[in-house]
Amino acid sequence: MKRLLQRWYHTPIRVKSAFLMGNLLIVTWLLVMFVTLQLHEFSSASSIIMNDYIDITGFLDAFSAENVALEAYIRPISTEQTREEYLSAIGETDRRLEELRPDKTADRRKEYMLKQAICNAMEYYRRSQADFLELGREEDLIPPYLSLKTQSAYIDGYTRDLLHGRIVQGGEQWYEIEAANWRNSRRFVGFLVTTTVVVMLILLAFNRSIFRPLMDLGWAADQIREGCYDAPPLTVRSGDEIGRTAQSFNLMQKEIRRTIRALEQQAEMEKHLLEKEVETAQMQRKLQEVRFAQLQSQIKPHFLFNTLSTIAALAREEGAPLSENLILRLSSFFRYSLESGEAIVTLGRELQLLQDYIELQETRYGDRIIFEVIADPELNGTRIPKFILQPLVENSIVHGLKERPGYGRVRIRTRRTRRGITITVTDNGSGFPPGGPRPAGEQRQSVGLENISERIRLNGGRVDVFSMTGLGTSVRILMGGESIDQDLSGGG
């Protein structure tokens, strides 16, 4: 089978097409011949039955016409024309009788016996009829006439028995013809199913060896037209015209890729040369920037921290514990924000910084804004990008709750889900339309959120923002999995 498939794949397309057309023509002619033979058998059987009916009814009609002519002949007013009509009817009856002669090879036993009885009775009837016709008109014709009528009644009875038997036999033959047609129909359906399967197999072979390679070739040409030269090479299954075309196409694609890579390498070398020239030109400017940065670094961050610590100590000596607490919170927050040694911290450290920021804001806004932190202690050791929670809370305050009448609420929640660790920051602020533009004053918020989203994405996470005008905004951070559906919460 495998060898046969290989020979088929390497056969020229014109031979494959001729093979397909030849098989279709053979199947078509076989179907036509099958139907023609079935119709011929049906027509032959029907003709036999109808011919028998015609022979019997023809003789019966001719004999009845002869009896009618006999009635006219024996009338006293009969003429020579009446005699001629009677003789003509006798000739027609004899002609019909010849068509009704029994045939041992074709007739059944009962039918043969009835036909033989009719023929014997007609011979005796013709002898009596000849004697009757020889009598003159002046003689008494009634006794011979009555004898002829009696004989004709027997002949008529035999003929009607023959007709009845033929009708019964014809019905039986019709049943046989119907059964034969049913058997032939089943054979026809079986042949049709078989030929359909064969043709489908041939078409499947054509699809695998011609149509599918042509579609693959067209797809590869479309990729080249769209500028995609890195598509995988075509699979060459055959050695016919399509296979050779696919091999040439693969070679052309390979040469194009080689040329493009050579041009890219040349462009890269030219780019490096240009960059070196630019580096030489920018050297002085960079040296000046380094000197300026060195001057700035002279002002150490610990100077600011020490100053804040000194102010906190003075506040404690002056009996202002609230001021001391705020200064210490601000010092801790400022130290955390200026630290640059770590880019990844623990979630617990971020929540600690966020708590310092929340206490500063609670001092400022009082009961106007309620902060709620729902944190899972088991997640405090989770590593996340630094400084991502405080900017989100600040956005909620500045852009969502600052101008909102009444009280506001900000909820921060950390939890583990089946898709990862989820951190949610939700407020009941003014919000914005879903998918719509942000208000004019929120450009800074968008930039900060984009920065956080990019850092989360680079660390394998995702940020989803959901908002609705009048209900609030919810930002969900998912670390360690795909984002899950967000339920927007309008308040606490």
Side-chain angles (χ1 to χ4, degrees), residues 216-450:
D216 294 341
L217 190 60
W219 176 82
D222 292 338
Q223 294 295 312
I224 294 295
R225 182 184 62 186
E226 294 175 1
C228 180
Y229 302 103
D230 294 328
L234 295 173
T235 302
V236 180
R237 300 186 181 92
S238 62
D240 56 8
E241 293 86 345
I242 297 178
R244 294 195 297 272
T245 303
Q247 290 177 350
S248 300
F249 189 89
N250 289 338
L251 181 60
M252 178 192 70
Q253 187 181 27
K254 183 177 180 181
E255 293 297 328
I256 291 176
R257 284 200 300 265
R258 183 181 300 171
T259 303
I260 291 176
R261 288 172 184 171
L263 293 175
E264 289 176 349
Q265 292 177 357
Q266 183 179 356
E268 189 69 21
M269 292 177 62
E270 294 177 354
K271 179 180 178 181
H272 287 325
L273 292 176
L274 182 61
E275 288 178 353
K276 289 181 179 180
E277 294 177 358
V278 173
E279 288 178 0
T280 302
Q282 293 178 347
M283 187 63 68
Q284 289 296 329
R285 183 175 61 83
K286 288 184 178 181
L287 290 174
Q288 292 177 358
E289 291 177 356
V290 170
R291 293 193 185 109
F292 182 73
Q294 288 176 348
L295 291 176
Q296 285 184 324
S297 64
Q298 298 301 321
I299 305 176
K300 300 295 182 179
H302 70 267
F303 171 75
L304 181 59
F305 303 149
N306 293 335
T307 303
L308 290 175
S309 298
T310 302
I311 296 175
L314 292 175
R316 184 171 57 253
E317 292 179 0
E318 293 175 356
L322 180 60
S323 299
E324 178 189 3
N325 182 56
L326 291 178
I327 294 172
L328 291 176
R329 295 287 183 181
L330 178 61
S331 174
S332 175
F333 179 80
F334 193 50
R335 178 187 298 273
Y336 182 83
S337 63
L338 290 181
E339 288 177 354
S340 59
E342 291 182 301
I344 302 296
V345 297
T346 62
L347 179 58
R349 183 72 180 89
E350 274 287 291
L351 290 174
Q352 182 180 355
L353 168 71
L354 181 63
Q355 192 62 45
D356 292 337
Y357 176 77
I358 288 175
E359 290 192 12
L360 291 174
Q361 298 302 320
E362 286 178 342
T363 303
R364 177 180 179 183
Y365 292 101
D367 294 336
R368 238 189 97 207
I369 299 179
I370 300 174
F371 296 92
E372 182 180 1
V373 180
I374 305 174
D376 187 352
E378 296 181 357
L379 304 180
N380 287 342
T382 303
R383 306 286 289 178
I384 62 173
K386 181 180 179 181
F387 213 66
I388 60 172
L389 297 184
Q390 185 273 333
L392 295 180
V393 175
E394 183 178 359
N395 283 341
S396 296
I397 297 173
V398 175
H399 303 288
L401 301 175
K402 188 174 182 180
E403 304 298 331
R404 183 183 187 281
Y407 81 94
R409 181 184 294 272
V410 180
R411 174 186 293 169
I412 303 94
R413 184 180 183 185
T414 66
R415 59 194 177 100
R416 185 186 300 276
T417 64
R418 61 186 179 87
R419 294 186 178 181
I421 297 173
T422 304
I423 304 172
T424 308
V425 178
T426 305
D427 65 71
N428 63 342
S430 56
F432 54 87
R438 300 176 186 237
E442 297 188 8
Q443 183 63 28
R444 183 177 177 182
Q445 174 193 9
S446 175
V447 173
L449 185 59
E450 289 179 0

Side-chain angles (χ1 to χ4, degrees), residues 121-172:
M122 284 298 297
E123 289 180 3
Y124 183 79
Y125 180 82
R126 287 291 184 241
R127 288 195 297 270
S128 299
Q129 190 180 51
D131 295 338
F132 172 76
L133 292 174
E134 290 179 357
L135 297 175
R137 298 297 301 175
E138 66 279 0
E139 298 179 11
D140 187 7
L141 300 178
I142 298 302
Y145 167 72
L146 293 176
S147 176
L148 291 176
K149 291 295 290 181
T150 301
Q151 296 178 37
S152 66
Y154 281 108
I155 295 172
D156 186 79
Y158 291 152
T159 307
R160 293 187 183 277
D161 289 341
L162 178 63
L163 180 61
H164 179 266
R166 191 65 188 124
I167 291 175
V168 174
Q169 181 183 353
E172 295 175 354

